[in-house]
Amino acid sequence: MINIGFTLFLIGMLSAFVFFVLTFITLINKKGNLKKRLLGAGISLASIVVGLIIVIVTPYPSPSESSEATEAEAADSPVEETVESSSAEEVVEETEVVEEVPVEDTPQVKMVNQLTQLMDEGLAFDAGSYIQGDIPKGEYAFIPFSGSGQYYSEEDQAGNIVDNENFDSFGYVFVQEVGNIKTDGVLVNVSMLESLGVTGAKELYEIVNEQSDYLAAGYYKVGTDIEPGKYVIESYGDAYVALMTGPVGSSDIVDNENFNGKYSVNAQTGQYLTISRGMIVE
């Protein structure tokens, strides 16, 4: 802010200079009103004196007080910046915590990924049609997915059906490698079941179809999918049950029966128990 005393001092100095010059000119030329000039000069001198007095008596803040005031103003800013900085850091930390939460794959997704890897290696085969030589000779687990068909067949070069089956769920087939093959389910070489972490077709079927303790219609391998022993099968409608010596494509019938109600069988290790329109109850 401009000091009043200092302003009066400057105005007085300027006025005095002007009046003294005019007075000097009047004396030289000996004309004009000399008294008025001298009166104006006197007033200018009075303004100078008053301005000097105001300048002298007006208090000014000392350098230390000015420094303290500046420091006090500066002291407030870092606090706000620190608070804002802390808030920003908290937001970053919260965001990092959310990003670090892992998404765990379901057992189904993990198994599908493993099956896909086996397909790439030629140890499993997706649903579809194949010609002779596409699928090596041997035993395979037949695994349908929810919503897929359940048919399997193999023909010779003349187009004659070597063997076929409409599975109710999972099962086992033996590829003769004599001609065309059609499968609605995934075929997995039985030698690779252990690497998948399963004991047999039943357990693999349960994982990929998100089921548990499945005991309904299927093609069970005794000693792998179920323990050897006596089983009671209960039908829902007209049911069929059979004990087979091997997988579809390489088996003979040991015992079979069409029934409506209940039927018991004695299954031995190495045999295959096929159930259609029924389920194991005991």
Side-chain angles (χ1 to χ4, degrees), residues 18-279:
V18 172
F19 281 113
F20 278 121
V21 171
L22 291 176
T23 301
F24 181 74
I25 294 172
T26 300
L27 290 172
I28 293 174
N29 296 328
K30 294 183 180 181
K31 61 180 180 179
N33 196 336
L34 180 60
K35 290 182 179 180
K36 290 182 179 180
R37 301 286 191 276
L38 292 174
L39 179 60
I43 293 171
S44 300
L45 288 173
S47 298
I48 294 172
V49 172
V50 172
L52 286 173
I53 293 172
I54 293 174
V55 170
I56 292 170
V57 300
T58 301
Y60 292 95
S62 65
S64 60
E65 290 176 346
S66 299
S67 176
E68 290 175 0
T70 303
E71 291 176 358
E73 291 175 358
D76 294 335
S77 299
V79 173
E80 295 178 357
E81 293 177 358
T82 303
V83 172
E84 293 176 358
S85 177
S86 299
S87 300
E89 290 176 359
E90 290 175 0
V91 171
V92 172
E93 289 177 357
E94 290 177 0
T95 303
E96 290 177 351
V97 169
V98 172
E99 292 176 352
E100 289 176 358
V101 175
V103 178
E104 184 71 23
D105 287 337
T106 64
Q108 181 193 49
V109 171
K110 290 179 180 178
M111 185 58 72
V112 170
N113 290 337
Q114 287 180 279
L115 288 173
T116 301
Q117 181 63 36
L118 288 182
M119 291 177 189
D120 293 338
E121 297 173 2
L123 298 170
F125 302 87
D126 202 358
S129 298
Y130 299 86
I131 62 173
Q132 183 181 16
D134 285 345
I135 303 177
K137 186 176 182 178
E139 185 176 354
Y140 294 82
F142 176 91
I143 310 295
F145 284 76
S146 178
S148 70
Q150 298 167 312
Y151 181 73
Y152 170 85
S153 69
E154 183 175 11
E155 300 176 352
D156 60 20
Q157 292 296 321
N160 300 313
I161 294 177
V162 176
D163 218 329
N164 66 337
E165 183 74 21
N166 262 313
F167 289 98
D168 289 273
S169 57
F170 61 89
Y172 296 86
V173 301
F174 190 89
V175 174
Q176 300 287 351
E177 201 177 8
V178 295
N180 296 322
I181 293 175
K182 180 180 179 180
T183 176
D184 289 338
V186 173
L187 300 180
V188 183
N189 193 300
V190 293
S191 65
M192 301 309 301
L193 293 176
E194 186 177 354
S195 69
L196 294 174
V198 297
T199 56
K202 174 180 177 291
E203 187 177 359
L204 180 54
Y205 173 81
E206 290 173 337
I207 293 173
V208 298
N209 290 281
E210 297 184 304
Q211 298 192 32
S212 60
D213 299 325
Y214 183 86
L215 292 173
Y219 202 102
Y220 296 83
K221 189 173 186 177
V222 182
T224 299
D225 299 315
I226 57 174
E227 295 294 325
K230 182 179 179 180
Y231 290 94
V232 176
I233 315 300
E234 185 172 352
S235 69
Y236 37 90
D238 293 328
Y240 174 78
V241 62
L243 282 172
M244 312 295 292
T245 59
V248 172
S250 180
S251 66
D252 294 315
I253 297 174
V254 176
D255 184 22
N256 68 333
E257 187 68 33
N258 287 299
F259 69 100
N260 192 322
K262 291 183 178 180
Y263 188 81
S264 65
V265 294
N266 288 302
Q268 299 178 12
T269 300
Q271 293 180 335
Y272 293 74
L273 174 63
T274 177
I275 303 170
S276 180
R277 298 180 300 279
M279 66 181 301

